[in-house]
Amino acid sequence: MALIKKKYEISIWKEELDLNGNKKETKTYIIGSHDMNYKGKAIAPQLIRKKNGTNSLTFQLYSNFFSEIDNDYIHNEYCDYIFNESKIKLNYNDKWFEFYVKEITEQKNHHGIIYTYKCEDAFIDELSRNG
């Protein structure tokens, strides 16, 4: 298990059907990247590549963070957009990985709450749905 240190992007995606009944994906938010300066970004991302060929992703978000502009702690809006079964994509080493959020845990600290998101491969979820 190694922390991601190369160029990466973590984003939230929305799935919906178009008028023809085809699945359409839309990127809604970039919540973390190697060059993102926003204090509410995803932190401590870990891509875990298992021997059986599956992958998992974990990352964390602070519920609140200090804004020098407001001189106060503000709510991290990204926390409002991620829930169980949210689609998360990771672009790492010029390859896209697709995940669904499977578990969200929270831990309190002096600033508020740190949410930990555990995501599993999207293709595993699709196989279990389609048999």
Side-chain angles (χ1 to χ4, degrees):
M1 294 188 294
L3 289 175
I4 297 173
K5 295 180 182 175
K6 297 180 181 181
K7 290 183 179 183
Y8 73 93
E9 175 188 289
I10 301 172
S11 49
I12 304 170
W13 291 69
K14 179 174 61 171
E15 293 179 327
E16 52 193 11
L17 297 177
D18 64 15
L19 296 174
N20 297 323
N22 299 317
K23 184 170 70 168
K24 177 183 169 191
E25 295 180 326
T26 307
K27 185 189 302 187
T28 55
Y29 296 98
I30 297 172
I31 60 170
S33 73
H34 63 283
D35 60 355
M36 189 175 194
N37 293 325
Y38 181 63
K39 289 188 176 185
K41 73 176 183 176
I43 58 171
Q46 283 190 308
L47 173 63
I48 300 162
R49 310 211 52 195
K50 301 174 188 166
K51 289 182 181 181
N52 66 1
T54 63
N55 303 302
S56 63
L57 173 70
T58 61
F59 61 91
Q60 296 177 325
L61 290 174
Y62 287 108
S63 63
N64 299 302
F65 58 90
F66 189 78
S67 167
E68 286 82 11
I69 295 169
D70 298 324
N71 200 30
D72 198 3
Y73 286 92
I74 60 173
H75 174 69
N76 187 351
E77 64 186 73
Y78 291 153
C79 296
D80 299 336
Y81 303 114
I82 306 175
F83 42 86
N84 279 327
E85 299 302 323
S86 292
K87 186 166 204 169
I88 304 292
K89 289 191 180 187
L90 169 68
N91 188 334
Y92 178 62
N93 272 347
D94 294 322
K95 183 176 178 184
W96 283 98
F97 298 87
E98 295 183 11
F99 302 95
Y100 286 108
V101 174
K102 295 297 182 181
E103 183 181 340
I104 303 170
T105 57
E106 55 184 65
Q107 179 180 359
K108 292 185 180 184
N109 71 2
H110 58 283
H111 300 300
I113 298 171
I114 298 174
Y115 293 102
T116 300
Y117 300 89
K118 294 183 180 179
C119 310
E120 296 295 329
D121 263 332
F123 82 87
I124 299 248
D125 195 59
E126 291 298 320
L127 284 175
S128 67
R129 290 182 193 176
N130 297 330

